[in-house]
Amino acid sequence: MKMFNFLFSVFIFSSVIFHANAHNVTHDSRSIIIDGNHQIILSGSIHYPRSTAQMWPDLIRKAKEGGLDAVKTYVFWNAHEPVRRQYDFSGNLDLVRFLKTIRDEGLYAILRIGPYACAEWNYGGFPMWLHNMLGVSFRTKNDVFMNEMKNFTSLIVDMVKRERLFASQGGHIILAQIENEYGNVMKPYGEDGKSYINWCAQMADSLDIGVPWIMCQQAGAPKPMLETCNGWYCDQYRPKDPNTPKMWTENWTGWFKSWGSADPLRTTEDLAYSVARFFQKGGTLQNYYMYHGDTNFGRTSGGPYMTTTYDYNAPLDEYGNLNQPKWGHLKQLHNVLHSIEYTLTHGDVETQKIDNSVTATIYQTNDKSSCFLSNTNTTTDATVNFGGINYFIPAWSISILPDCREEAYNTAKVYAQTWMMVKKSNKAEDEPSCLKWAWRPELIESASVQGKGDVSVNKIVD
Ligand SMILES: *[C@@H]1O[C@H](CO)[C@@H](O)[C@H](O)[C@H]1NC(C)=O
Ligand SMILES: *[C@@H]1O[C@H](CO)[C@@H](O)[C@H](O)[C@H]1NC(C)=O
Ligand SMILES: *[C@@H]1O[C@H](CO)[C@@H](O)[C@H](O)[C@H]1NC(C)=O
Ligand SMILES: *[C@H]1O[C@H](CO)[C@@H](O)[C@H](O)[C@H]1NC(C)=O
């Protein structure tokens, strides 16, 4: 334990030195540029309230070991401000501790403040008191709403600034997000929707965080916000502004589970295919939603019939174990992508159709070239000749040739360790004796909707 403490203090000390200087985060159409280095970013979502603070270092270490550059999280407004102007940042709501854990493990952070989160979280993160405010109308040009949104967003930004966690202050937060998938719902709001999203952009910009803001699913986002894509595949996606790099903020690694339905699965091969395809087609930033899904504790689960588990079939399972072969196969992909970062961010791009279903994409700089060979046919394998060499490319797969000759990776050829978890019924004698029930009071003004008053019932409330 002493030794551990010693190592820990040395580490903290060195990270203080390391992080003392401001970092310059900008972008061009191909890369995120950090202190002049052109980078691609591989990121994964981990939501701090869905695990415990004790789990965070292990989860983040496994994310780093899995080849990620960054961890991304939403901020959950109704968890932090359950009663208006009464805040809770304790326990697994300790956002600053979570962010510092990411920093101390040596990864970047991406902070999605929202504060509308969606995220299968109760009421999308909106507090009940906000719903009950007189004259409020959510996510549109409405003074009551905008005032509260600004108040909470500023509170989070101030808190993070005080700890000097933005890259511009020497910290590790390279991007922040305002609003969330508003482009999907904006149309019915008409002109008010447009004024609102412009206001969001101005409000965020005025908070002066010194790193770029993003807006996901917001085609043609108001300047200086950068638009990004969410979905199963974003390879076809092109930002409206040609100077915006191609960023994929949510690549769904699986799906959330609903009561009565099967465990959702997305195959390792398909997930790897989507990521390789994204970078083949000029991607810059890719984020797994989720990298670790975990658990909806208490009343936090949102949406119709969402279960307590939020495992998401992610690379780390609900308990923080490696979900193999997904974790390992993606780790290999990340290592290969990082090894060709220079040609990806600097190279001229050329595509060659090899046959009906196989296409080669060649990234070429003065002295280096890297290639992708993709077979987009979902049923038929292909053997193709490329530069005098034969390659076997299974259906719906992509090979990466870091030097355009040797195949270092194919998305459908899985060599990572494989194992399966078997769920066993819970026998009383297997239960650890230290597990005990506990209760705590809930800090809520009123769980009921305005006009109905307080409720007191002796049954499960639905
Ligand atoms: C930050 O980086 C960009 C792009 O590399 C550069 O144009 C700009 O001058 C840099 N800003 C500072 C303050 O160093
Ligand atoms: C939020 O509003 C309260 C008043 O309700 C005010 O005292 C506080 O300064 C505001 N916070 C921010 C960060 O604007
Ligand atoms: C896949 O390949 C098979 C056999 O060559 C062909 O019949 C089929 O049309 C192809 N599918 C697509 C979507 O190209
Ligand atoms: C994520 O990857 C899958 C598999 O390739 C793809 O079908 C899906 O479209 C991707 N998501 C987005 C947003 O592109």
Side-chain angles (χ1 to χ4, degrees):
M1 200 61 200
K2 270 241 161 70
M3 186 61 184
F4 177 76
N5 281 339
F6 171 72
L7 285 175
F8 192 64
S9 2
V10 169
F11 190 71
I12 295 284
F13 183 62
S14 57
S15 70
V16 165
I17 293 179
F18 178 73
H19 291 283
N21 298 320
H23 300 295
N24 178 8
V25 183
T26 56
H27 67 89
D28 62 15
S29 64
R30 299 275 292 277
S31 46
I32 300 293
I33 308 173
I34 304 176
D35 295 335
N37 298 316
H38 292 243
Q39 304 190 11
I40 55 166
I41 301 287
L42 296 163
S43 168
S45 287
I46 300 177
H47 294 157
Y48 53 99
R50 286 181 157 138
S51 49
T52 65
Q54 290 74 19
M55 289 168 77
W56 297 340
D58 178 59
L59 296 174
I60 293 162
R61 221 167 281 148
K62 284 170 175 162
K64 185 172 190 200
E65 174 68 21
L68 295 192
D69 305 297
V71 168
K72 174 149 85 173
T73 184
Y74 279 121
V75 174
F76 299 89
W77 189 358
N78 55 5
H80 292 304
E81 194 176 351
V83 174
R84 192 162 177 266
R85 305 298 180 258
Q86 288 184 39
Y87 298 99
D88 186 357
F89 288 93
S90 64
N92 67 348
L93 295 177
D94 193 340
L95 173 63
V96 164
R97 176 171 169 184
F98 181 70
L99 291 170
K100 286 183 173 173
T101 309
I102 298 172
R103 178 193 66 189
D104 294 344
E105 296 298 337
L107 292 179
Y108 295 125
I110 300 174
L111 187 63
R112 310 176 89 178
I113 300 179
Y116 178 68
C118 196
E120 292 76 61
W121 187 265
N122 193 13
Y123 215 22
F126 281 148
M128 191 49 77
W129 57 259
L130 184 65
H131 170 105
N132 288 343
M133 281 184 84
L134 269 184
V136 77
S137 190
F138 288 171
R139 302 177 80 194
T140 186
K141 189 165 171 276
N142 172 276
D143 286 341
V144 180
F145 178 76
M146 294 191 308
N147 186 38
E148 292 303 319
M149 172 167 167
K150 182 172 183 192
N151 193 285
F152 182 72
T153 306
S154 316
L155 177 98
I156 296 297
V157 166
D158 290 348
M159 179 180 283
V160 169
K161 272 191 184 171
R162 228 172 4 248
E163 303 288 342
R164 309 194 62 76
L165 297 181
F166 286 113
S168 52
Q169 305 174 291
H172 64 308
I173 300 175
I174 54 170
L175 297 169
Q177 177 179 308
I178 194 76
E179 249 296 342
N180 187 59
E181 299 189 335
Y182 191 67
N184 295 353
V185 299
M186 181 163 150
K187 212 163 174 205
Y189 290 100
E191 286 306 310
D192 279 359
K194 284 183 205 156
S195 330
Y196 166 67
I197 204 69
N198 287 329
W199 172 83
C200 290
Q202 282 160 18
M203 188 271 285
D205 193 37
S206 75
L207 297 176
D208 199 20
I209 60 174
V211 299
W213 284 97
I214 56 174
M215 281 185 171
C216 62
Q217 294 291 79
Q218 192 70 49
K223 298 266 148 148
M225 308 291 111
L226 300 176
E227 63 169 278
T228 71
C229 172
N230 292 349
W232 292 110
Y233 302 84
C234 282
D235 54 311
Q236 303 295 337
Y237 162 74
R238 288 272 166 279
K240 275 203 174 160
D241 174 358
N243 293 320
T244 298
K246 185 166 155 176
M247 297 189 281
W248 184 4
T249 37
E250 292 192 10
N251 182 12
W252 302 323
T253 55
W255 200 242
F256 50 82
K257 185 170 158 64
S258 312
W259 288 105
S261 70
D263 285 349
L265 294 177
R266 183 180 186 182
T267 66
T268 298
E269 293 87 339
D270 183 54
L271 182 57
Y273 174 90
S274 71
V275 176
R277 186 88 177 135
F278 181 70
F279 284 100
Q280 176 181 15
K281 296 246 188 166
T284 294
L285 178 151
Q286 193 284 137
N287 179 72
Y288 296 100
Y289 190 97
M290 303 290 298
Y291 195 75
H292 176 243
D294 220 298
T295 309
N296 295 313
F297 293 113
R299 294 179 197 272
T300 60
S301 173
Y305 307 113
M306 232 123 271
T307 54
T308 303
T309 179
Y310 197 66
D311 178 273
Y312 229 90
N313 195 219
L316 299 178
D317 76 9
E318 179 166 14
Y319 313 100
N321 300 311
L322 307 185
N323 174 13
Q324 295 283 40
K326 204 174 247 190
W327 181 88
H329 190 52
L330 294 174
K331 172 186 163 109
Q332 289 165 12
L333 171 60
H334 302 154
N335 290 344
V336 172
L337 289 171
H338 278 136
S339 78
I340 60 173
E341 185 171 60
Y342 185 80
T343 47
L344 285 180
T345 53
H346 291 80
D348 293 332
V349 190
E350 188 201 326
T351 55
Q352 286 173 15
K353 216 163 156 42
I354 311 278
D355 70 13
N356 272 344
S357 45
V358 178
T359 303
T361 305
I362 303 140
Y363 284 84
Q364 176 82 51
T365 62
N366 284 341
D367 54 344
K368 279 186 192 145
S369 59
S370 308
C371 295
F372 293 79
L373 297 176
S374 57
N375 179 359
T376 52
N377 191 303
T378 51
T379 52
T380 308
D381 299 341
T383 299
V384 295
N385 189 285
F386 177 68
I389 303 174
N390 281 342
Y391 297 92
F392 171 65
I393 310 172
W396 198 246
S397 83
I398 296 174
S399 291
I400 304 177
L401 290 35
D403 59 358
C404 286
R405 296 189 66 78
E406 196 173 336
E407 176 183 303
Y409 187 85
N410 174 280
T411 56
K413 301 176 187 170
V414 179
Y415 300 111
Q417 183 178 2
T418 300
W419 67 53
M420 249 172 76
M421 295 263 274
V422 178
K423 289 182 183 172
K424 289 167 84 177
S425 66
N426 194 6
K427 291 199 207 86
E429 62 265 33
D430 294 338
E431 261 186 51
S433 54
C434 60
L435 283 182
K436 284 196 184 75
W437 287 99
W439 69 277
R440 64 181 172 85
E442 234 177 334
L443 189 64
I444 42 177
E445 235 164 19
S446 162
S448 67
V449 180
Q450 189 181 30
K452 299 252 179 82
D454 292 344
V455 282
S456 173
V457 291
N458 196 11
K459 60 165 194 167
I460 293 174
V461 180
D462 53 18

